[in-house]
Amino acid sequence: MDFAYDARTEELRARLLAFMDEHVYPAEQVAREQRAALASPWDTPRIVGELKAEARRRGLWNLFLPDARYGAGLTNLQYAPLAEITGRSPHLAPTATNCAAPDTGNMEVLAQFADGPQRERWLRPLLAGEIRSAFAMTEPEVASSDATNITTRIERDGDEYVVTGRKWYISGAMNPDCRIFIVMGKTDPEGADVRRQQSMVLVPRDTPGVTVTRAMRVFGYEDHDHGGHAEVVFDHARVPVTNLVGEEGGGFAIAQARLGPGRIHHCMRLIGMAERAIGLMCRRAASREAFGRPLAQQGVVHNWIADARVTVEQLRLLVLKTAWLMDTVGNKGAHTEIQAIKIATPRAVVDIVDRAIQLHGAGGVSQDFPLAELYAAARTLMIADGPDEVHQRSLARREIKRYA
């Protein structure tokens, strides 16, 4: 079902839907073929640059940034349905419109917390799509779902910070265009306030002591289109103290500010993935026959499709409510709803994609359909940006407090 969005959102939706039909969907197979012919699978297929140019020409660029100085100046409620549309082709459309994670969150951090020189050096080329970036927070040796566990050290030495630690699943870091890391570590590991121990610094990729050691796989996929998910070692990497983002001790707060919009972006793209899966289910059901009649006449198939449609409509309303609250009362005021969508959306979309895979049989787990990759992406988001259980714990505590 389509909603009656405001005039600007409807106009951008129409433009974006046309862009998807005319350019993005036809480019999916082209991108796969071009990547297979590249010297390195981490290089960017030529078609991606062509999509970017077309998106800019159509005014479909940096749609996620609410600050009109840097982006389209859309509210969360206006951007949400656009993110949903790009989620229907998650490996191409977000990148084509310069709305792909982790760059989106990093640009938000730079726009909100960086100083003038930092913005000029790093935000400007990111906004232009000239470089890519990565956010280095997660570590293999600790439960990074609790950010106070981070062990990477950021130690002051005169006019420099010395960064030492090991990170993994650093999305985008395998892409050779990834030129800058926003690294979270501890500047005050013995501080009394565990949420003031962390800071963030900008570490250029070519800094001595920075080594991208390997590509981590996700359900066997290397996610070349997203720039992979790397393990990165910082071995006494030195950067100027002017590379500090915000203030010392502000890392935890910056991380929380970064994750709020990121979660709603992920959830809207997930809904787009579910819509893609529903479309594939319906086409498959209408075109295949088993046991003497079309799959579209099988009762269980009716149940799968009907349940999927009901679930998507419910999720969309919850996510749009959350976007509206973020715009009207801020991320803190929308905290419960942000956690609710983070819990509900990946779980439900995993189930929808799983049913679509089942309906496609062997084809569902093959490379001939996007379903296996959609499943891997949706299932991973039950862990990324904080595992579901962390959000359930926090949400339940807040709910109980109302009655205590």
Side-chain angles (χ1 to χ4, degrees):
M1 177 187 295
D2 286 337
F3 288 84
Y5 298 106
D6 67 277
R8 187 178 183 203
T9 305
E10 289 288 10
E11 192 268 335
L12 285 170
R13 285 184 72 247
R15 262 195 270 164
L16 186 55
L17 287 167
F19 176 60
M20 297 288 289
D21 288 338
E22 296 166 16
H23 294 276
V24 175
Y25 298 132
E28 289 178 336
Q29 180 60 31
V30 176
R32 284 191 288 271
E33 293 170 357
Q34 289 183 356
R35 188 176 295 283
L38 292 171
S40 166
W42 303 111
D43 291 338
T44 303
R46 186 180 66 257
I47 190 69
V48 174
E50 296 170 5
L51 289 172
K52 285 184 173 184
E54 182 62 23
R56 295 194 76 165
R57 189 185 70 79
R58 294 180 179 225
L60 301 170
W61 192 256
N62 291 335
L63 299 169
F64 69 97
L65 269 171
D67 191 332
R69 293 176 298 169
Y70 306 117
L74 301 175
T75 65
N76 286 296
L77 187 57
Q78 289 174 313
Y79 177 61
L82 306 178
E84 176 185 335
I85 292 169
T86 62
R88 299 178 190 181
S89 182
H91 298 296
L92 276 186
T95 301
T97 54
N98 214 37
C99 294
D103 295 318
T104 48
N106 294 339
M107 285 188 269
E108 287 165 345
V109 166
L110 292 171
Q112 188 173 353
F113 299 101
D115 60 27
Q118 291 171 346
R119 290 194 192 113
E120 176 61 25
R121 184 175 180 189
W122 301 114
L123 179 58
R124 184 197 58 76
L126 281 167
L127 290 170
E130 298 168 355
I131 66 170
R132 301 295 299 271
S133 63
F135 184 68
M137 178 175 169
T138 304
E139 298 180 2
E141 302 300 333
V142 297
S144 301
S145 56
D146 179 357
T148 64
N149 285 338
I150 297 299
T151 61
T152 293
R153 294 291 184 261
I154 302 174
E155 300 169 308
R156 180 82 180 252
D157 183 19
D159 293 333
E160 294 181 317
Y161 283 116
V162 182
V163 184
T164 305
R166 184 160 68 106
K167 305 286 189 177
W168 74 343
Y169 282 96
I170 308 308
S171 298
M174 296 303 300
N175 189 320
D177 292 329
C178 176
R179 306 291 173 80
I180 186 67
F181 295 96
I182 299 179
V183 182
M184 184 165 174
K186 289 188 176 179
T187 46
D188 185 17
E190 305 304 323
D193 185 349
V194 296
R195 288 177 172 79
R196 292 286 300 172
Q197 296 176 352
Q198 306 83 8
S199 300
M200 291 191 187
V201 293
L202 297 166
V203 182
R205 185 195 188 100
D206 59 3
T207 301
V210 176
T211 305
V212 178
T213 59
R214 59 173 174 159
M216 305 303 302
R217 294 180 179 177
V218 179
F219 287 104
Y221 293 106
E222 290 188 320
D223 280 354
H224 298 116
D225 295 298
H226 291 303
H229 311 280
E231 181 180 63
V232 185
V233 173
F234 299 90
D235 184 7
H236 297 86
R238 290 178 171 268
V239 297
V241 293
T242 52
N243 282 26
L244 178 72
V245 180
E247 62 176 2
E248 279 199 12
F252 192 91
I254 293 173
Q256 292 304 304
R258 183 186 186 276
L259 288 172
R263 285 169 181 144
I264 197 166
H265 298 171
H266 277 316
C267 287
M268 287 308 294
R269 283 192 292 265
L270 277 165
I271 292 173
M273 291 161 58
E275 288 285 9
R276 184 87 183 264
I278 292 171
L280 287 167
M281 267 200 286
C282 292
R283 282 190 285 272
R284 187 74 165 186
S287 64
R288 305 285 282 199
E289 186 175 296
F291 304 106
R293 57 178 175 165
L295 292 176
Q297 294 181 13
Q298 304 286 352
V300 69
V301 175
H302 291 171
N303 293 343
W304 291 347
I305 293 171
D307 288 347
R309 172 51 56 204
V310 170
T311 298
V312 164
E313 299 303 326
Q314 292 173 326
L315 289 175
R316 184 183 288 112
L317 285 172
L318 180 56
V319 174
L320 290 174
K321 176 196 175 185
T322 305
W324 171 74
L325 284 171
M326 290 170 69
D327 292 333
T328 55
V329 298
N331 291 2
K332 187 173 182 180
H335 197 99
T336 295
E337 285 75 15
I338 291 173
Q339 290 184 317
I341 62 172
K342 173 59 178 68
I343 295 165
T345 313
R347 182 185 299 171
V349 174
V350 164
D351 185 64
I352 290 170
V353 177
D354 185 63
R355 295 302 189 189
I357 289 172
Q358 193 74 7
L359 190 57
H360 283 72
V365 297
S366 76
Q367 69 271 40
D368 290 351
F369 296 91
L371 292 167
E373 288 184 282
L374 293 180
Y375 181 92
R379 180 61 183 84
T380 302
L381 286 173
M382 294 172 69
I383 302 170
D385 288 352
D388 288 357
E389 292 75 15
V390 172
H391 295 287
Q392 287 174 303
R393 173 176 175 265
S394 177
L395 194 156
R397 283 181 169 181
R398 189 176 296 105
E399 196 72 12
I400 292 168
K401 190 176 181 180
R402 295 169 55 198
Y403 299 92

